[in-house]
Amino acid sequence: MSHDHHDERPRLTPEQTAAALNPPAGRNGGDLVVETLQGLGATTVFGLPGQHALGMFDALRRSSLTYIGLRVENNAGFAADAYGRITGEVAPLLLSTGPGALTSLAALQEAAAASAPVLAISSQIPVAGLGGGRHGYLHELRDQKASFRDVVKSVHTVRTASQIPSAIAAAWESALTAPHGPVWIEIPQDVLLAETIVPVVSAMDATPRELYARPELTAVAADLLSKAERPAIIAGGGVVRSDASGKLLALAEKLDAPVVTTFGGKGAFPWEHPLSLQSWLEDRYTTDFLESADVLLVVGSGLGELSSNYHTFAPRGRVIQIEADAGKLESNHPALGIHADAREALSDLLEAVDRREDPTAPERVRTVLEAVRERIAAQELTLEQRLIASVREALPDVSPSFWDMTILAYWAWSAFDARHPNTMHSAQGAGGLGYGFPAALGAAAADRTRPVLVVSGDGGAMYSIAELATARQYDLPVTWLIVDDGGYGILREYMTGAFGEATATELTRPDFVALAESFGVPAIRTTPESLTADLAASLAAPGPSVVVLPALLRMFEPTHL
């Protein structure tokens, strides 16, 4: 934030001045938390109460914030992650000390991997216990923030009530500075509970820093792309997060450059566009095509394991990499590295490149996609392809979908047409189980006008079955498709392939239909033949619903081995 714009200083209205001079009685540190969140623009918070955090939760009663309480802290973290992804706004996550806070760690790892702006605010043992002495407080850790420092973007410890607004504003700014990500604040129990004379928080400002491309790098990149004979583009999650899909489309058309989207970048480029290579990244035909590009523009992707066909991708041409996360810049391939927000960098490039025409580009794209289709067709995986088509047919175009780590989701990464940017989400950043259903609840809380779809396996479903109660309590429009194959299907495939047989993958599971109905959630058992109709009906009905599909699915053959 710059400090030379004196005219931009926040000013109080007469009402705000009166409130500051005469704060209502009985306010505590918890009130400062909710007042600061409201002042920064928050409307919805997620979480789960605990003994040390009660001051914060009691203050919610005196606020206009909407509270969505989940049944497990990790699931509350996944819900906040999805809310942040869908809205692009900060999603506050309220947690208790020790076990409550630690239970959210896997969700915060996913938020970090997917650049979701989650603001975790945890309680802490009383101030007297800070500093590593062993006092024997309930929930005590030797150094709670050390458990989070490796996972989140920034950590902030509060020691007095007057530090609360500044700590939250600093964390908010950190969460929204590109690349977005989770941040973590801890506030001692006694600070949250103590009455405060700090005035009512009214005028808050936490403007994230813009991350622009350096102009000399843009000039070099534009020159390379304008003169390229066979340019190609890989569009990653950064394009979706920075709302840069329109810029990407304009640049691709100006250069006649084919575009492939990563699994995190699904929807960043129109699926049926003549220049669209779609997202068949785990395919040697796609990998060969990208390797043959003389100039390859990589936007908003670190070219990690999944985006590089398991690190078998070896580009032969010049690589230009635009990436907001400095740690991912040139981490896997030498490149012209441009540390910038995808939207800003694409905007600059669009102005700087010369129009280049290549009538052969659509034909070359068609050739690759036909080769991919023929390879898949030869494997006789008609059931799997049919299920992906059925889900696409049943799901409204603007509805978000959330995919857990399950075989049908692995298919969807490559084969599903996400018709709009920022509508298809999965846990492929950190790769943990149980993401789909709680994330979908967070997305539904962000926008109740669109039904939300979740796809889980039976193994992943068991991680978040408790959240059926949350879905019912808040009447969230989420339809949960559970593909029941009797265990951890993808691990069964991996182990059988690697060792000849599978261990620890077969699971006893409940009658999911009866279980859902016991929560008051309508449920139906479906078949591949009736899936489209049953899903469409469930999505059209108000409130939550469950659709169970007993099916044993197979993955397409990998090309990286």
Side-chain angles (χ1 to χ4, degrees):
M1 291 163 66
S2 70
H3 296 279
D4 51 345
H5 298 301
H6 295 290
D7 56 328
E8 288 179 16
R9 282 186 179 173
R11 308 276 183 216
L12 293 186
T13 64
E15 295 78 12
Q16 288 171 327
T17 303
L21 296 174
N22 305 289
R27 284 166 63 255
N28 59 21
D31 288 282
L32 288 173
V33 172
V34 298
E35 288 165 9
T36 305
L37 291 174
Q38 285 175 281
L40 288 167
T43 55
T44 304
V45 299
F46 299 88
L48 209 156
Q51 184 179 334
H52 286 176
L54 295 181
M56 194 157 56
F57 280 82
D58 181 58
L60 284 175
R61 196 164 49 85
R62 294 184 287 281
S63 79
S64 62
L65 294 170
T66 298
Y67 170 67
I68 306 284
L70 286 94
R71 301 302 191 267
V72 184
E73 286 87 356
N74 200 47
N75 293 337
F78 284 144
D81 162 301
Y83 185 95
R85 292 192 203 193
I86 289 286
T87 61
E89 297 166 8
V90 172
L93 170 66
L94 308 185
L95 303 166
S96 192
T97 319
L102 293 176
T103 302
S104 74
L105 272 170
L108 294 175
Q109 185 190 354
E110 178 56 44
S115 301
V118 175
L119 177 72
I121 306 178
S122 151
S123 55
Q124 175 55 304
I125 56 176
V127 174
L130 297 180
R134 311 298 284 139
H135 300 273
Y137 290 107
L138 184 71
H139 306 328
E140 181 177 284
L141 291 162
R142 277 174 303 188
D143 183 4
Q144 183 174 261
K145 66 180 177 295
S147 300
F148 291 82
R149 190 177 277 116
D150 181 51
V151 176
V152 299
K153 280 185 75 176
S154 59
V155 297
H156 311 257
T157 299
V158 165
R159 285 182 169 78
T160 65
S162 62
Q163 295 176 4
I164 289 173
S166 294
I168 293 176
W172 186 283
E173 186 178 323
S174 173
L176 279 187
T177 295
H180 290 179
V183 292
W184 192 79
I185 304 168
E186 60 180 11
I187 309 174
Q189 176 188 24
D190 48 347
V191 175
L192 287 171
L193 289 173
E195 278 208 34
T196 181
I197 56 166
V198 176
V200 174
V201 180
S202 55
M204 287 305 300
D205 183 29
T207 310
R209 293 183 309 284
E210 298 290 353
L211 191 57
Y212 295 109
R214 294 196 350 243
E216 71 276 16
L217 298 176
T218 301
V220 175
D223 187 61
L224 287 168
L225 288 165
S226 300
K227 293 174 179 168
E229 286 179 24
R230 294 177 314 285
I233 300 173
I234 299 177
V239 175
V240 175
R241 298 284 163 265
S242 68
D243 193 20
S245 307
K247 305 281 184 199
L248 173 69
L249 176 61
L251 183 68
E253 289 180 342
K254 193 169 178 181
L255 292 169
D256 263 347
V259 178
V260 66
T261 62
T262 69
F263 304 152
K266 296 285 289 186
F269 196 74
W271 190 253
E272 300 291 353
H273 192 282
L275 293 170
S276 174
L277 283 162
Q278 301 179 353
S279 42
W280 289 96
L281 282 167
E282 288 185 44
D283 186 282
R284 196 62 228 177
Y285 293 116
T286 304
T287 308
D288 287 343
F289 183 91
L290 294 171
E291 286 180 351
S292 72
D294 62 336
V295 179
L296 181 68
L297 174 63
V298 183
V299 194
S301 169
L303 292 183
E305 186 175 47
L306 297 179
S307 306
S308 61
N309 204 352
Y310 297 90
H311 294 303
T312 59
F313 168 61
R316 295 194 296 275
R318 284 292 299 272
V319 178
I320 302 163
Q321 186 188 14
I322 296 168
E323 175 56 60
D325 184 341
K328 291 181 182 174
L329 213 54
E330 293 192 69
S331 60
N332 287 312
H333 299 280
L336 175 69
I338 302 178
H339 183 217
D341 177 67
R343 184 183 171 87
E344 304 297 349
L346 285 173
S347 189
D348 292 349
L349 265 184
L350 189 55
E351 285 180 23
V353 296
D354 300 327
R355 181 167 296 285
R356 129 179 220 291
E357 291 186 6
D358 181 359
T360 71
E363 183 54 41
R364 289 186 293 124
V365 166
R366 251 197 316 277
T367 303
V368 173
L369 292 178
E370 278 165 17
V372 172
R373 267 194 286 276
E374 283 168 20
R375 182 177 81 81
I376 300 295
Q379 296 171 34
E380 296 181 355
L381 298 164
T382 49
L383 170 63
E384 291 77 1
Q385 294 187 78
R386 177 184 185 176
L387 293 181
I388 285 287
S390 294
V391 172
R392 181 62 277 175
E393 193 180 337
L395 185 68
D397 284 4
V398 296
S399 276
S401 60
F402 288 82
W403 303 74
D404 218 326
M405 303 298 282
T406 185
I407 287 181
L408 196 61
Y410 283 43
W411 269 93
W413 289 348
S414 290
F416 191 77
D417 172 9
R419 291 186 182 148
H420 291 276
N422 203 24
T423 54
M424 180 179 170
H425 299 276
S426 73
Q428 54 97 17
L433 268 178
Y435 172 80
F437 187 55
L441 298 179
D447 181 359
R448 288 171 172 271
T449 66
R450 301 182 295 177
V452 182
L453 173 72
V454 190
V455 181
S456 294
D458 56 286
M462 291 301 290
Y463 273 65
S464 46
I465 212 82
E467 305 309 340
L468 281 167
T470 304
R472 182 72 284 160
Q473 182 167 346
Y474 298 102
D475 198 33
L476 294 165
V478 173
T479 294
W480 192 1
L481 172 61
I482 301 173
V483 182
D484 184 357
D485 65 4
Y488 298 124
I490 197 78
L491 300 178
R492 185 190 286 141
E493 282 224 354
Y494 286 163
M495 289 189 88
T496 307
F499 311 115
E501 59 181 297
T503 306
T505 58
E506 305 315 298
L507 302 172
T508 297
R509 62 260 182 234
D511 175 341
F512 285 109
V513 171
L515 182 60
E517 287 173 343
S518 76
F519 283 93
V521 173
I524 186 173
R525 189 171 278 99
T526 190
T527 63
E529 293 72 29
S530 57
L531 177 62
T532 304
D534 287 342
L535 258 191
S538 294
L539 285 160
S545 54
V546 170
V547 177
V548 181
L549 173 68
L552 195 61
L553 307 184
R554 290 165 46 220
M555 273 308 292
F556 48 83
E557 289 296 322
T559 63
H560 64 275
L561 300 175

